[in-house]
Each structure stands twice: as C-alpha cells, then as structure tokens.
C-alpha cells in the first residue's frame, strides 16, 4: 500500500499561504500615506496569483484583513474595505477567464452589508473555477475560527445531533471556515517579521515556514521562486521518523 506520508512529502506544493506584511512600512519609507502601500500591495497580489497559476499551485490563502485590524484608524479600515471592493470588481473577469475560484474565510458578521454582498456575488460567480482557489482571509483570526467551530460542535452535541466519539481531527476540520481545503504546505510571511499572528492556526500545524525580508508591495515572482526553491529543500516529516517515511508501511497516525 502506498505510504500516505511518503507520498505527501514528495508531492508538489499544493497550498501556499501568505501573510502579506509590510505595506505600511513600504509607504513610510517613501513618505507616502499607508494606503498607498496597501494599493501597491494589491498589485503584488495580482502578480502572485498569476505566478501561482503558472507554477501549478492549486490553493492560495492570503491574509488580507485580520480580526485585530478592526482596531486600526477608521480611515485605514475604510480604505482597506474600499480596496477590497475595487479588487473584486477589477479582478472579476480575470477570475472568470482564469478559472480562479474565490473563497472568503473569517467572521463575516463584522463586515458591512455591501462588502458581504460583493463577496457573495464573487464567490457564486467563480464557484466553478478549477485552476486556482484563492482564499481571502477577511476579518479573520485563527482563534476566532476555532472558537466558532467549537461552539457549533458543542451546540450539536448538546442537542444530541453528534456523538462525542465521532469528533476527531478530520471531523473538527470540517467545521472550520477552510472545510474541504487541504492544509497549507508552505506559509510565507513578508517584511522580516517572524510570527504567525493568528493566521490559520489549526491548518498550519505541519506547514513549512518561509520568511521573506521584502515588504509585501515589493514581493514579486523572483521572491516567490526563492521561497519555492527553499521549500523544495525541506524534508517534511509530519512528526514521524525518516525510517518510517522511507518505508512502505503506513504508520497509521
Ligand atoms: C499588512 O501590512 C497588510 C495588511 C494589514 C493588509 C493587506 C492588504 C493588502 C495587501 C491589500 C488588500 C488586498 C486585497 C486582496 C484586496 P501592514 O499595514 O501591517 O504593514 P506595516 O506592518 O508595515 O505597518
């Protein structure tokens, strides 16, 4: 029988996740308003999506707005929401032509009606895209996502709709916003910071991490390829030993 972990280790990178950090510092360095950094950041998103498609990545998760970002000055929050609306409208045809399926994760109850409506339309229109799934994390926090999933499960358990014995890692994952999306293989964070900042906490349990020194607006195809080349050198062990991974026996974790 094919060893699942052995094959996963050799499998191509399927899901890339990115913490797009450094927009503000990019702008500050140029004496520009912070929003210029975010605007330039959108260009980096567009280029990165194109490059991911070129190299055959199937899932791209982008941390666009965290639960904590609601605490930023209202002007910046409004500008980011406006940028998102512009992005969804300007990229609509590109997503449809390119087979890009949009999926938004996060707590939508905090988003405005107009943003929720635009997301719902974009998700519905792109639902059949098969080339790349672009997962936009908006109003997203990993702990919040896990709590929402736990509350939903607890409610079902109280009502007797689910047996506690049924709840394992696989079952729990289906209650997360990322249900049915494979876990990220590689997480990139730009701007030299080395933190997870509440992004995909559950899903990155076995992800490889890569830290790029460039600010997000400067992230380009060359930077992406550096990260991909580094990833290719990694040996993923999923908590097992080399011998187990090299054998044909399934360790049955
Ligand atoms: C972090 O930089 C970036 C964000 C909080 C927002 C990311 C948003 C974009 C790239 C643009 C919008 C994206 C889409 C897909 C519409 P920062 O502001 O924390 O930078 P700093 O740490 O240098 O201040």
């Amino acid at each position: 029988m094919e060893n699942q972990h052995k094959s996963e280790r050799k499998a191509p990178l399927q899901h890339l996740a990115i913490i797009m950090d450094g927009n503000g510092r990019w702008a500050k360095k140029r004496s520009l308003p912070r929003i210029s950094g975010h605007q330039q950041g959108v260009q980096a998103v567009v280029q990165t999506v194109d490059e991911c498609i070129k190299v055959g990545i199937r899932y791209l998760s982008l941390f666009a707005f965290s639960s904590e970002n609601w605490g930023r000055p209202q002007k910046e929050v409004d500008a980011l929401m406006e940028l998102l609306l512009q992005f969804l409208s300007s990229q609509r045809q590109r997503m449809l032509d390119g087979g890009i399926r949009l999926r938004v994760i996060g707590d939508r109850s905090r988003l405005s009606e107009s943003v929720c409506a635009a997301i719902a339309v974009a998700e519905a229109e792109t639902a059949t895209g098969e080339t790349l799934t672009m997962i936009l994390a908006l109003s997203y926090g990993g702990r919040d996502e896990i709590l929402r999933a736990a509350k939903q499960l607890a409610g079902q358990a109280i009502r007797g709709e689910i047996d506690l014995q049924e709840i394992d890692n696989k079952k729990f994952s289906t209650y997360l916003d990322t249900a049915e999306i494979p876990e990220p293989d590689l997480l990139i964070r730009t701007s030299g910071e080395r933190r997870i900042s509440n992004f995909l906490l559950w899903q990155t349990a076995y992800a490889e991490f890569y830290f790029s020194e460039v600010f997000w607006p400067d992230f380009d195809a060359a930077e992406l390829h550096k990260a991909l080349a580094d990833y290719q050198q990694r040996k993923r062990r999923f908590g097992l030993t080399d011998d187990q991974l090299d054998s044909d026996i399934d360790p049955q974790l």
Side-chain angles (χ1 to χ4, degrees):
M1 186 172 72
E2 177 67 10
N3 179 314
Q4 185 197 352
H5 295 279
K6 187 179 176 186
S7 59
E8 276 178 27
R9 182 165 58 153
K10 295 196 172 147
L13 193 161
Q14 192 179 194
H15 184 169
L16 171 66
I18 308 183
I19 300 178
M20 310 179 288
D21 198 9
N23 294 351
R25 279 163 285 162
W26 182 93
K28 194 170 178 194
K29 221 171 103 183
R30 290 162 178 77
S31 306
L32 293 168
R34 289 179 59 82
I35 191 63
S36 304
H38 297 314
Q39 281 164 345
Q40 206 56 40
V42 174
Q43 299 311 312
V45 167
V46 173
Q47 278 184 42
T48 302
V49 168
D50 282 352
E51 202 57 30
C52 284
I53 291 176
K54 272 191 208 154
V55 301
I57 289 172
R58 302 293 312 279
Y59 298 86
L60 174 66
S61 288
L62 299 168
F63 205 1
F65 192 89
S66 73
S67 322
E68 292 72 29
N69 288 156
W70 288 114
R72 290 198 174 191
Q74 194 58 43
K75 208 173 124 191
E76 184 168 342
V77 171
D78 291 346
L80 279 165
M81 292 300 148
E82 192 50 43
L83 264 187
L84 169 74
L85 289 172
Q86 284 171 14
F87 174 79
L88 293 178
S89 126
S90 69
Q91 297 304 305
R92 178 179 178 270
Q93 203 55 49
R94 208 187 179 95
M95 289 195 280
L96 294 173
D97 295 343
I100 299 170
R101 174 170 69 137
L102 176 77
R103 174 112 168 232
V104 171
I105 59 170
D107 178 7
R108 293 191 197 193
S109 69
R110 298 182 75 181
L111 296 169
S112 72
E113 263 179 46
S114 58
V115 169
C116 283
I119 290 170
V121 169
E123 282 184 327
E125 283 187 334
T126 62
T128 55
E130 287 187 345
T131 307
L132 175 89
T133 298
M134 175 167 56
I135 300 129
L136 274 190
L138 282 176
S139 184
Y140 176 88
R143 287 182 174 177
D144 173 66
E145 178 191 33
I146 293 168
L147 277 175
R148 283 187 283 110
K151 282 184 193 169
Q152 213 191 328
L153 259 170
Q156 291 187 353
I158 288 167
R159 293 191 296 274
E161 293 162 9
I162 189 166
D163 180 354
L164 290 186
Q165 301 308 319
E166 275 180 56
I167 306 168
D168 57 10
N169 284 333
K170 204 170 162 199
K171 181 82 183 169
F172 192 82
S173 302
T174 65
Y175 287 77
L176 294 171
D177 296 347
T178 51
E180 286 159 34
I181 295 170
E183 291 179 3
D185 301 294
L186 175 65
L187 174 97
I188 298 176
R189 181 170 188 148
T190 58
S191 89
E193 305 291 350
R194 287 159 165 76
R195 289 186 295 276
I196 184 101
S197 296
N198 208 6
F199 190 40
L200 299 176
L201 293 182
W202 174 280
Q203 299 86 342
T204 52
Y206 287 100
E208 297 292 325
F209 285 60
Y210 180 87
F211 301 104
S212 162
E213 294 303 315
V214 307
F215 294 139
W216 174 250
D218 288 330
F219 192 85
D220 57 11
E223 267 311 299
L224 175 65
H225 282 277
K226 268 199 237 170
L228 299 182
D230 191 90
Y231 172 81
Q232 294 307 329
Q233 304 305 314
R234 311 276 180 100
K235 203 168 184 183
R236 303 184 76 190
R237 279 196 283 263
F238 301 95
L240 304 179
T241 67
D242 275 337
D243 286 350
Q244 284 174 303
L245 289 162
D246 290 338
S247 78
D248 282 329
I249 302 158
D250 190 338
Q252 295 287 335
L253 273 193

